[in-house]
Amino acid sequence: MISLDQHPTGRHFLQIPGPSPVPDRILRAMSLPTIDHRGPEFAVLGLKVLAGLREIFQTRHPVVVYPASGTGAWEAALANTLSPGDAVLMAETGHFASLWKKMAERLGLQPEFIAWPGNDAETGLPNAWRRGVPVEMIGERLREDRGHRIRAVCVVHNETSTGVTSDIAAVRRAIDDAGHPALLMVDTISGLASADYRHDAWGVDVAISGSQKGLMLPPGMSFNAVSPKAIEASRSARLPKSFWAWDEIIDMNRGGYWPYTPNTNLLYGLSESLEMLLAQGLPAVFARHQRWAEGVRNAARAWGLPIQCADPAVYSPVLTGIVTPAGVDADALRRLIHQRFDLSLGTGLGRIKGRMFRIGHLGDCNDLTLMAALSGVEMGLKLAGVPIAGSGVQAAMAFFASNPAPMPPATPASAD
Ligand code: PLP
């Protein structure tokens, strides 16, 4: 165990899929003195971040901010809209979808979990953990539900445990085609501000997100973006809620305040993050993540190691899961890489623990930080004696060199 004051030289390589590295500009903004959260200055900050968040979620409707991790915003989504005993349709796409289902059970809801059946021949891992939401099954199930017992469809946009995204617009179409009134709730905790997410255009009723991923902030803040239909549902929903209740928060947010003490310094950071993301523009933010993801996948292919996501149409731009050969403990490999190179990789979670590791490529990265991370992985694979087909580092270098990132708008020429 290393103590914090024995930290190795140089920056730690935080290559997990969130928390992601926090840019210095955001760290500096967060170090400003805490101000009175009921004073006039605060309202300027509050109104600014609430407006910026609406742009990031691509919504005209309210975004509720909680001083809580993403799990809190999951609970808020369910507690605000549903009543004890309500049926909810959820899709098993990985560990986070499974945790959300467990929460629904604990809250007294009746979740129904649908999933791609069976195990995959290539890796022996569950098919459901290598694919996106089974949209056709959702449509079928909703058509069968003639009495409209199902009150909500809950899906994960970017399943952080596997590196698989789901087609949210297609889920919306499946609900509409079935003529079903269920609410659509989407966990985009690791999707927002990295993977394309369009709250209003995709007809999402409640979106859940968190600070520590694409927004490049420390953990500790989470969000619900809510549609008018979700707000309507919250008026008659009977699950107990007080801290999570949207009504008082939305009401006080109109003036830029919160009904309780908000996390002021994280809001300073959020204000900075929103400026950075919106100045770059969302299409450029999404493109940057797609390009990094393709570079990392090139490395995986060159190593000859399967990518956890079996469907190229839904590869995650945020992280890549890499499956280790049967008999190789992926966690032992991660520990070795951490110990030797001060590089943190994401662990396999739940049903795929020990069989895979995850490389995060989100937020404040660039080609060279990713190349360093891939070098650490490749050195670790060799040290652990994992057979690899070729050099992933060479493949990723070739990809990044021959696919330049779009240049930022004109900068002055350098002196040389
Ligand atoms: N959902 C997804 C997709 C996540 O990635 C996470 C955390 O990584 C969570 C939910 C839980 O969020 P938190 O750990 O911030 O409570």
Side-chain angles (χ1 to χ4, degrees):
M1 184 71 180
I2 50 170
S3 75
L4 286 177
D5 55 4
Q6 287 170 330
H7 194 275
T9 52
R11 284 262 170 131
H12 172 65
F13 277 82
L14 185 61
Q15 224 64 49
I16 58 176
S20 63
V22 181
D24 293 351
R25 179 173 158 187
I26 291 183
L27 289 172
R28 279 195 298 274
M30 291 195 322
S31 72
L32 292 173
T34 304
I35 54 172
D36 171 9
H37 62 288
R38 308 210 189 275
E41 245 183 291
F42 188 89
V44 176
L45 173 67
L47 291 172
K48 177 184 166 192
V49 296
L50 291 167
L53 280 170
R54 286 196 291 274
E55 286 191 60
I56 297 286
F57 277 96
Q58 304 197 48
T59 182
R60 288 177 297 116
H61 303 296
V63 178
V64 178
V65 183
Y66 295 107
S69 85
T71 304
W74 260 351
E75 179 159 343
L78 301 176
N80 272 286
T81 52
L82 298 169
S83 298
D86 277 356
V88 290
L89 188 59
M90 300 180 121
E92 179 181 356
T93 45
H95 186 65
F96 291 104
S98 305
L99 289 181
W100 200 13
K101 178 202 169 229
K102 188 168 113 192
M103 170 184 278
E105 280 164 355
R106 292 174 70 139
L107 289 174
L109 300 169
Q110 289 185 8
E112 197 178 310
F113 219 20
I114 54 171
W116 293 105
N119 286 350
D120 159 74
E122 182 191 18
T123 60
L125 299 175
N127 281 319
W129 289 52
R130 300 196 70 194
R131 306 190 163 274
V133 165
V135 177
E136 278 177 20
M137 283 187 223
I138 291 184
E140 224 167 275
R141 185 64 196 91
L142 292 176
R143 274 192 299 278
E144 280 167 19
D145 180 39
R146 292 205 183 81
H148 297 166
R149 238 177 54 76
I150 295 169
R151 307 309 298 257
V153 174
C154 302
V155 292
V156 176
H157 177 214
N158 183 73
E159 182 43 89
T160 325
S161 62
T162 60
V164 178
T165 60
S166 283
D167 184 346
I168 303 302
V171 177
R172 175 79 264 168
R173 278 196 301 277
I175 299 173
D176 292 347
D177 291 350
H180 201 289
L183 294 167
L184 173 57
M185 302 203 203
V186 176
D187 168 342
T188 185
I189 287 185
S190 62
L192 191 77
S194 300
D196 192 3
Y197 177 80
R198 307 175 194 189
H199 192 75
D200 289 359
W202 292 348
V204 179
D205 292 302
V206 189
I208 297 104
S209 195
S211 55
Q212 74 272 27
K213 314 269 187 182
L215 291 173
M216 307 175 290
L217 296 166
M221 189 157 54
S222 55
F223 314 98
N224 279 172
V226 295
S227 73
K229 184 172 162 187
I231 293 180
E232 191 51 42
S234 74
R235 299 207 170 100
S236 53
R238 286 178 289 101
L239 276 181
K241 58 187 169 292
S242 171
F243 176 74
W244 304 117
W246 292 334
D247 52 358
E248 286 185 7
I249 302 174
I250 292 175
D251 203 33
M252 282 203 69
N253 278 175
R254 286 186 235 284
Y257 298 101
W258 273 263
Y260 43 74
T261 314
N263 34 13
T264 309
N265 291 54
L266 269 175
L267 292 172
Y268 289 154
L270 176 61
S271 161
E272 208 68 15
S273 149
L274 294 169
E275 269 183 29
M276 292 164 77
L277 290 164
L278 295 173
Q280 188 174 18
L282 288 179
V285 170
F286 303 148
R288 157 162 73 79
H289 286 83
Q290 291 287 3
R291 182 174 163 278
W292 290 335
E294 186 53 25
V296 171
R297 289 193 297 265
N298 268 278
R301 290 185 197 111
W303 288 324
L305 298 175
I307 293 169
Q308 177 72 32
C309 178
D311 177 1
V314 288
Y315 279 147
S316 169
V318 175
L319 74 139
T320 300
I322 297 183
V323 181
T324 50
V328 173
D329 176 358
D331 283 333
L333 173 70
R334 285 178 43 255
R335 275 194 298 276
L336 172 75
I337 291 170
H338 180 255
Q339 188 189 20
R340 290 292 301 270
F341 308 115
D342 196 25
L343 161 64
S344 286
L345 299 166
T347 182
L349 292 162
R351 295 177 69 187
I352 52 179
K353 182 151 188 61
R355 282 301 317 276
M356 57 88 79
F357 62 90
R358 298 169 297 150
I359 304 178
H361 30 79
L362 68 160
D364 194 36
C365 293
N366 60 39
D367 292 4
L368 294 187
T369 56
L370 285 178
M371 283 315 311
L374 293 172
S375 304
V377 175
E378 187 160 313
M379 287 189 282
L381 288 166
K382 287 183 179 164
L383 286 167
V386 179
I388 51 175
S391 171
V393 169
Q394 291 294 340
M397 281 203 298
F399 175 83
F400 287 133
S402 55
N403 293 279
M407 293 299 282
T411 45
S414 65
D416 51 15

PDB file of all heavy atoms in Angstrom, residues 87-104:
ATOM      1  N   ALA A  87     -44.603  -1.969 -12.290  1.00  0.00           N
ATOM      2  CA  ALA A  87     -43.735  -2.805 -13.125  1.00  0.00           C
ATOM      3  C   ALA A  87     -42.846  -1.895 -13.974  1.00  0.00           C
ATOM      4  O   ALA A  87     -43.310  -0.873 -14.501  1.00  0.00           O
ATOM      5  CB  ALA A  87     -44.578  -3.683 -14.026  1.00  0.00           C
ATOM      6  N   VAL A  88     -41.558  -2.236 -14.055  1.00  0.00           N
ATOM      7  CA  VAL A  88     -40.640  -1.500 -14.938  1.00  0.00           C
ATOM      8  C   VAL A  88     -39.881  -2.511 -15.795  1.00  0.00           C
ATOM      9  O   VAL A  88     -39.511  -3.588 -15.322  1.00  0.00           O
ATOM     10  CB  VAL A  88     -39.639  -0.596 -14.159  1.00  0.00           C
ATOM     11  CG1 VAL A  88     -40.339   0.572 -13.520  1.00  0.00           C
ATOM     12  CG2 VAL A  88     -38.879  -1.362 -13.098  1.00  0.00           C
ATOM     13  N   LEU A  89     -39.682  -2.156 -17.040  1.00  0.00           N
ATOM     14  CA  LEU A  89     -38.977  -3.042 -17.957  1.00  0.00           C
ATOM     15  C   LEU A  89     -37.537  -2.550 -18.066  1.00  0.00           C
ATOM     16  O   LEU A  89     -37.297  -1.390 -18.413  1.00  0.00           O
ATOM     17  CB  LEU A  89     -39.671  -2.984 -19.327  1.00  0.00           C
ATOM     18  CG  LEU A  89     -39.220  -3.983 -20.382  1.00  0.00           C
ATOM     19  CD1 LEU A  89     -39.413  -5.419 -19.898  1.00  0.00           C
ATOM     20  CD2 LEU A  89     -40.008  -3.752 -21.674  1.00  0.00           C
ATOM     21  N   MET A  90     -36.591  -3.427 -17.710  1.00  0.00           N
ATOM     22  CA  MET A  90     -35.178  -3.036 -17.737  1.00  0.00           C
ATOM     23  C   MET A  90     -34.427  -4.018 -18.630  1.00  0.00           C
ATOM     24  O   MET A  90     -34.903  -5.138 -18.855  1.00  0.00           O
ATOM     25  CB  MET A  90     -34.609  -3.042 -16.322  1.00  0.00           C
ATOM     26  CG  MET A  90     -35.346  -2.079 -15.390  1.00  0.00           C
ATOM     27  SD  MET A  90     -34.697  -2.068 -13.707  1.00  0.00           S
ATOM     28  CE  MET A  90     -34.222  -0.354 -13.510  1.00  0.00           C
ATOM     29  N   ALA A  91     -33.287  -3.626 -19.142  1.00  0.00           N
ATOM     30  CA  ALA A  91     -32.543  -4.505 -20.048  1.00  0.00           C
ATOM     31  C   ALA A  91     -31.184  -4.806 -19.444  1.00  0.00           C
ATOM     32  O   ALA A  91     -30.438  -3.886 -19.086  1.00  0.00           O
ATOM     33  CB  ALA A  91     -32.393  -3.835 -21.404  1.00  0.00           C
ATOM     34  N   GLU A  92     -30.866  -6.100 -19.354  1.00  0.00           N
ATOM     35  CA  GLU A  92     -29.564  -6.486 -18.786  1.00  0.00           C
ATOM     36  C   GLU A  92     -28.487  -6.281 -19.843  1.00  0.00           C
ATOM     37  O   GLU A  92     -28.353  -7.071 -20.773  1.00  0.00           O
ATOM     38  CB  GLU A  92     -29.569  -7.957 -18.338  1.00  0.00           C
ATOM     39  CG  GLU A  92     -28.216  -8.370 -17.771  1.00  0.00           C
ATOM     40  CD  GLU A  92     -28.144  -9.824 -17.332  1.00  0.00           C
ATOM     41  OE1 GLU A  92     -29.147 -10.534 -17.372  1.00  0.00           O
ATOM     42  OE2 GLU A  92     -27.023 -10.229 -16.950  1.00  0.00           O
ATOM     43  N   THR A  93     -27.723  -5.213 -19.663  1.00  0.00           N
ATOM     44  CA  THR A  93     -26.621  -4.990 -20.606  1.00  0.00           C
ATOM     45  C   THR A  93     -25.273  -5.096 -19.900  1.00  0.00           C
ATOM     46  O   THR A  93     -24.237  -5.016 -20.551  1.00  0.00           O
ATOM     47  CB  THR A  93     -26.748  -3.594 -21.259  1.00  0.00           C
ATOM     48  OG1 THR A  93     -27.045  -2.628 -20.235  1.00  0.00           O
ATOM     49  CG2 THR A  93     -27.834  -3.576 -22.317  1.00  0.00           C
ATOM     50  N   GLY A  94     -25.296  -5.239 -18.582  1.00  0.00           N
ATOM     51  CA  GLY A  94     -24.032  -5.313 -17.860  1.00  0.00           C
ATOM     52  C   GLY A  94     -24.237  -5.038 -16.386  1.00  0.00           C
ATOM     53  O   GLY A  94     -25.358  -5.125 -15.862  1.00  0.00           O
ATOM     54  N   HIS A  95     -23.158  -4.688 -15.723  1.00  0.00           N
ATOM     55  CA  HIS A  95     -23.158  -4.521 -14.270  1.00  0.00           C
ATOM     56  C   HIS A  95     -24.030  -3.346 -13.817  1.00  0.00           C
ATOM     57  O   HIS A  95     -24.756  -3.444 -12.828  1.00  0.00           O
ATOM     58  CB  HIS A  95     -21.713  -4.305 -13.821  1.00  0.00           C
ATOM     59  CG  HIS A  95     -21.535  -4.261 -12.338  1.00  0.00           C
ATOM     60  ND1 HIS A  95     -21.779  -5.342 -11.525  1.00  0.00           N
ATOM     61  CD2 HIS A  95     -21.138  -3.259 -11.517  1.00  0.00           C
ATOM     62  CE1 HIS A  95     -21.534  -5.012 -10.270  1.00  0.00           C
ATOM     63  NE2 HIS A  95     -21.141  -3.760 -10.241  1.00  0.00           N
ATOM     64  N   PHE A  96     -23.948  -2.223 -14.541  1.00  0.00           N
ATOM     65  CA  PHE A  96     -24.691  -1.048 -14.069  1.00  0.00           C
ATOM     66  C   PHE A  96     -26.193  -1.231 -14.279  1.00  0.00           C
ATOM     67  O   PHE A  96     -26.993  -0.862 -13.416  1.00  0.00           O
ATOM     68  CB  PHE A  96     -24.115   0.237 -14.663  1.00  0.00           C
ATOM     69  CG  PHE A  96     -22.751   0.511 -14.083  1.00  0.00           C
ATOM     70  CD1 PHE A  96     -21.599   0.260 -14.815  1.00  0.00           C
ATOM     71  CD2 PHE A  96     -22.616   0.914 -12.764  1.00  0.00           C
ATOM     72  CE1 PHE A  96     -20.336   0.442 -14.249  1.00  0.00           C
ATOM     73  CE2 PHE A  96     -21.365   1.094 -12.188  1.00  0.00           C
ATOM     74  CZ  PHE A  96     -20.224   0.862 -12.929  1.00  0.00           C
ATOM     75  N   ALA A  97     -26.578  -1.842 -15.413  1.00  0.00           N
ATOM     76  CA  ALA A  97     -27.999  -2.155 -15.614  1.00  0.00           C
ATOM     77  C   ALA A  97     -28.469  -3.085 -14.493  1.00  0.00           C
ATOM     78  O   ALA A  97     -29.583  -2.937 -13.973  1.00  0.00           O
ATOM     79  CB  ALA A  97     -28.204  -2.805 -16.976  1.00  0.00           C
ATOM     80  N   SER A  98     -27.598  -4.025 -14.084  1.00  0.00           N
ATOM     81  CA  SER A  98     -27.984  -4.982 -13.023  1.00  0.00           C
ATOM     82  C   SER A  98     -28.126  -4.271 -11.681  1.00  0.00           C
ATOM     83  O   SER A  98     -29.025  -4.588 -10.885  1.00  0.00           O
ATOM     84  CB  SER A  98     -26.942  -6.102 -12.908  1.00  0.00           C
ATOM     85  OG  SER A  98     -26.752  -6.717 -14.162  1.00  0.00           O
ATOM     86  N   LEU A  99     -27.235  -3.313 -11.396  1.00  0.00           N
ATOM     87  CA  LEU A  99     -27.340  -2.572 -10.128  1.00  0.00           C
ATOM     88  C   LEU A  99     -28.605  -1.711 -10.088  1.00  0.00           C
ATOM     89  O   LEU A  99     -29.248  -1.570  -9.041  1.00  0.00           O
ATOM     90  CB  LEU A  99     -26.108  -1.672  -9.940  1.00  0.00           C
ATOM     91  CG  LEU A  99     -24.776  -2.345  -9.624  1.00  0.00           C
ATOM     92  CD1 LEU A  99     -23.693  -1.285  -9.447  1.00  0.00           C
ATOM     93  CD2 LEU A  99     -24.881  -3.198  -8.358  1.00  0.00           C
ATOM     94  N   TRP A 100     -28.948  -1.143 -11.233  1.00  0.00           N
ATOM     95  CA  TRP A 100     -30.150  -0.289 -11.281  1.00  0.00           C
ATOM     96  C   TRP A 100     -31.392  -1.150 -11.036  1.00  0.00           C
ATOM     97  O   TRP A 100     -32.323  -0.753 -10.357  1.00  0.00           O
ATOM     98  CB  TRP A 100     -30.213   0.429 -12.628  1.00  0.00           C
ATOM     99  CG  TRP A 100     -31.073   1.650 -12.632  1.00  0.00           C
ATOM    100  CD1 TRP A 100     -31.598   2.312 -11.549  1.00  0.00           C
ATOM    101  CD2 TRP A 100     -31.507   2.367 -13.792  1.00  0.00           C
ATOM    102  NE1 TRP A 100     -32.323   3.400 -11.962  1.00  0.00           N
ATOM    103  CE2 TRP A 100     -32.279   3.467 -13.333  1.00  0.00           C
ATOM    104  CE3 TRP A 100     -31.304   2.215 -15.170  1.00  0.00           C
ATOM    105  CZ2 TRP A 100     -32.867   4.374 -14.202  1.00  0.00           C
ATOM    106  CZ3 TRP A 100     -31.872   3.125 -16.041  1.00  0.00           C
ATOM    107  CH2 TRP A 100     -32.650   4.198 -15.572  1.00  0.00           C
ATOM    108  N   LYS A 101     -31.359  -2.372 -11.598  1.00  0.00           N
ATOM    109  CA  LYS A 101     -32.488  -3.288 -11.384  1.00  0.00           C
ATOM    110  C   LYS A 101     -32.590  -3.654  -9.892  1.00  0.00           C
ATOM    111  O   LYS A 101     -33.677  -3.680  -9.308  1.00  0.00           O
ATOM    112  CB  LYS A 101     -32.293  -4.544 -12.223  1.00  0.00           C
ATOM    113  CG  LYS A 101     -33.403  -5.537 -11.990  1.00  0.00           C
ATOM    114  CD  LYS A 101     -32.973  -6.921 -12.359  1.00  0.00           C
ATOM    115  CE  LYS A 101     -33.956  -7.948 -11.904  1.00  0.00           C
ATOM    116  NZ  LYS A 101     -33.334  -9.052 -11.202  1.00  0.00           N
ATOM    117  N   LYS A 102     -31.423  -3.911  -9.273  1.00  0.00           N
ATOM    118  CA  LYS A 102     -31.434  -4.254  -7.844  1.00  0.00           C
ATOM    119  C   LYS A 102     -32.029  -3.094  -7.038  1.00  0.00           C
ATOM    120  O   LYS A 102     -32.820  -3.289  -6.115  1.00  0.00           O
ATOM    121  CB  LYS A 102     -29.994  -4.550  -7.387  1.00  0.00           C
ATOM    122  CG  LYS A 102     -29.908  -5.095  -5.990  1.00  0.00           C
ATOM    123  CD  LYS A 102     -28.528  -5.629  -5.704  1.00  0.00           C
ATOM    124  CE  LYS A 102     -27.852  -4.790  -4.663  1.00  0.00           C
ATOM    125  NZ  LYS A 102     -26.452  -5.004  -4.490  1.00  0.00           N
ATOM    126  N   MET A 103     -31.664  -1.876  -7.428  1.00  0.00           N
ATOM    127  CA  MET A 103     -32.216  -0.710  -6.727  1.00  0.00           C
ATOM    128  C   MET A 103     -33.731  -0.663  -6.887  1.00  0.00           C
ATOM    129  O   MET A 103     -34.464  -0.402  -5.926  1.00  0.00           O
ATOM    130  CB  MET A 103     -31.592   0.570  -7.282  1.00  0.00           C
ATOM    131  CG  MET A 103     -32.283   1.823  -6.786  1.00  0.00           C
ATOM    132  SD  MET A 103     -31.624   3.297  -7.531  1.00  0.00           S
ATOM    133  CE  MET A 103     -30.201   3.599  -6.536  1.00  0.00           C
ATOM    134  N   ALA A 104     -34.218  -0.941  -8.099  1.00  0.00           N
ATOM    135  CA  ALA A 104     -35.674  -0.906  -8.338  1.00  0.00           C
ATOM    136  C   ALA A 104     -36.361  -1.898  -7.406  1.00  0.00           C
ATOM    137  O   ALA A 104     -37.402  -1.591  -6.817  1.00  0.00           O
ATOM    138  CB  ALA A 104     -35.975  -1.220  -9.806  1.00  0.00           C
TER     139      ALA A 104
END
